[in-house]
Amino acid sequence: MRLKLLSPGEMNAAQKETYDESIAGKRGAPPAPMMAWLNSPEMARHATRLGEVLRFDTVFPAKLSEIAILVTARHWTAHYEWYAHKRLALKGGLDPKIIEDIRVRRVPTFDDPKAKMIYELAKSLHEGHGVAKPLYDEAVELLSLRGVVEIIGLCGYYTMVSMTLNTFEFEVPGGELSELA
């Protein structure tokens, strides 16, 4: 890892305030990238708040949100992010076959049209740098405008997370090996 992670006792007042706010939130623990973001405490505060909203307060259940997050982690080959969100996707009820397909960059087969649309939106955002009008129109019809905005938010936020984790070389926890090549 390229960065020394601060313990709460080593943090300045602004860092500690942001850290304390994060552990008092719905996660109950600081998200890994926040520990790097604490080098810019105000950014860390806002990014962590946004992450909490996107993780827990979108129109989508975890099972669907995790599709966008996994597509993002895979796009960036973010080893730590993949490790963390694969577990959350499984816990949320996402089919392991879909997770494996995303991991090996194979188009998954979906029974749920919303899940398929989230996958297509996330892939389009990352690979196409936007969304073509027919896909956009279909997405708004199926997911709602709010849903489309939130998928964009998930992909954007988890891009920042992936870039942070990759740049500072966060390792997969517990000596686990990365599943991403």
Side-chain angles (χ1 to χ4, degrees):
M1 178 177 284
R2 292 179 168 167
L3 182 68
K4 180 190 181 308
L5 300 182
L6 301 175
S7 70
E10 298 171 304
M11 296 174 190
N12 65 35
Q15 291 168 327
K16 182 75 166 82
E17 184 179 326
T18 297
Y19 176 86
D20 288 345
E21 181 181 311
S22 78
I23 63 173
K26 292 181 181 179
R27 285 185 181 103
M34 189 202 73
M35 298 306 291
W37 298 337
L38 281 174
N39 288 284
S40 176
E42 199 58 24
M43 184 197 125
R45 174 176 287 114
H46 291 290
T48 303
R49 286 176 180 168
L50 176 60
E52 187 171 294
V53 168
L54 290 168
R55 188 74 199 290
F56 300 106
D57 297 323
T58 69
V59 296
F60 303 109
K63 175 180 172 176
L64 296 180
S65 293
E66 291 298 334
I67 294 168
I69 297 167
L70 289 175
V71 168
T72 301
R74 185 66 199 114
H75 176 79
W76 288 99
T77 311
H79 304 283
Y80 187 103
E81 194 63 16
W82 180 267
Y83 170 84
H85 283 275
K86 175 186 176 185
R87 291 180 22 229
L88 293 169
L90 289 168
K91 184 179 175 183
L94 189 60
D95 182 342
K97 174 86 170 93
I98 291 171
I99 295 168
E100 178 61 12
D101 285 344
I102 293 170
R103 186 186 73 80
V104 299
R105 301 181 192 270
R106 183 173 46 231
V107 177
T109 301
F110 295 96
D111 294 331
D112 179 350
K114 287 184 178 183
K116 182 176 191 256
M117 179 55 64
I118 290 167
Y119 173 82
E120 290 177 4
L121 269 177
K123 290 292 281 184
S124 181
L125 287 165
H126 289 300
E127 294 176 5
H129 309 285
V131 178
K133 183 158 177 34
L135 180 59
Y136 171 82
D137 291 342
E138 189 180 345
V140 169
E141 177 73 24
L142 187 60
L143 304 175
S144 79
L145 185 54
R146 176 181 171 177
V148 170
V149 167
E150 290 176 349
I151 294 302
I152 294 166
L154 282 162
C155 290
Y157 174 78
Y158 283 97
T159 289
M160 182 172 71
V161 166
S162 294
M163 288 177 161
T164 300
L165 297 171
N166 284 353
T167 298
F168 294 108
E169 298 178 347
F170 277 67
E171 294 181 7
V172 175
E176 296 279 332
L177 296 176
S178 175
E179 295 182 357
L180 304 181

